Amino acid sequence: MSKKVLIVENNVEQLHWLEELVRAIDKDVWVCAVTNADAASDILSNQVIDVFLCNVTLDSGNAEDVSGMDLVGEIRKIEKYLFTPVIFITERMDFEEEAYRDLHCYGYIGKPFNTEEITQTVKKALKYTTQRDVKEYVYFQKDGLVYPVKCKDIPIQ
């Protein structure tokens, strides 16, 4: 199964650049690039993401905006994403401590972009795997009947 990376960046030019950079790191990676938190939330409802790249500021018209950090705060509330690598790529270096301490980000990289730094950080982050949903039941068939058995009830020896 290929890894999945979600990039959330409001600057379309930088978004496409990051998308191409991630694809160059690993040709088998599935990359989705979006410009806002709503689109990112839609992706999360349909996909399991292995690495997030996110700008702290998703509304460049608002000097106080930290909607990227708010998005990551919401992502961290989803159990399977508690330890999924999040890499912030941003001009806002004033939130670095908060990103590490409160949001447990994997990396915090400042703009302007340092291609080698981003490449190495993403390569390392791709080594981790997000928890996938586990099937709740296994089905056995005997004599024409189907028996559902909860996976958690199967003894492992």
Side-chain angles (χ1 to χ4, degrees), residues 6 15 20 50 74 78 108 118 122 129 135 150 157:
L6 176 59
L15 178 72
E20 292 304 313
D50 296 293
E74 292 302 310
I78 302 169
Y108 197 94
I118 295 171
V122 171
T129 301
K135 289 185 178 182
K150 285 188 176 185
Q157 298 179 15

Side-chain angles (χ1 to χ4, degrees), residues 51-137:
V51 177
F52 295 93
L53 276 78
C54 189
N55 191 349
V56 168
T57 303
L58 297 176
D59 179 3
S60 55
N62 178 357
E64 303 297 317
D65 179 63
V66 290
S67 55
M69 292 189 72
D70 294 340
L71 171 64
V72 172
E74 292 302 310
I75 289 169
R76 288 293 190 227
K77 291 178 183 176
I78 302 169
E79 187 174 339
K80 67 183 162 195
Y81 294 125
L82 287 174
F83 303 107
T84 301
V86 172
I87 303 166
F88 283 107
I89 301 175
T90 184
E91 296 169 340
R92 304 278 311 262
M93 297 310 289
D94 50 330
F95 289 100
E96 185 174 9
E97 181 180 342
E98 182 180 343
Y100 281 111
R101 184 189 65 229
D102 298 340
L103 299 174
H104 311 290
C105 75
Y106 184 80
Y108 197 94
I109 300 170
K111 293 180 184 178
F113 293 125
N114 177 322
T115 304
E116 185 59 28
E117 182 180 17
I118 295 171
T119 299
Q120 291 307 314
T121 304
V122 171
K123 275 184 182 178
K124 290 176 187 173
L126 284 169
K127 293 181 181 180
Y128 298 93
T129 301
T130 298
Q131 172 186 325
R132 301 289 196 252
D133 293 330
V134 178
K135 289 185 178 182
E136 191 172 346
Y137 289 92

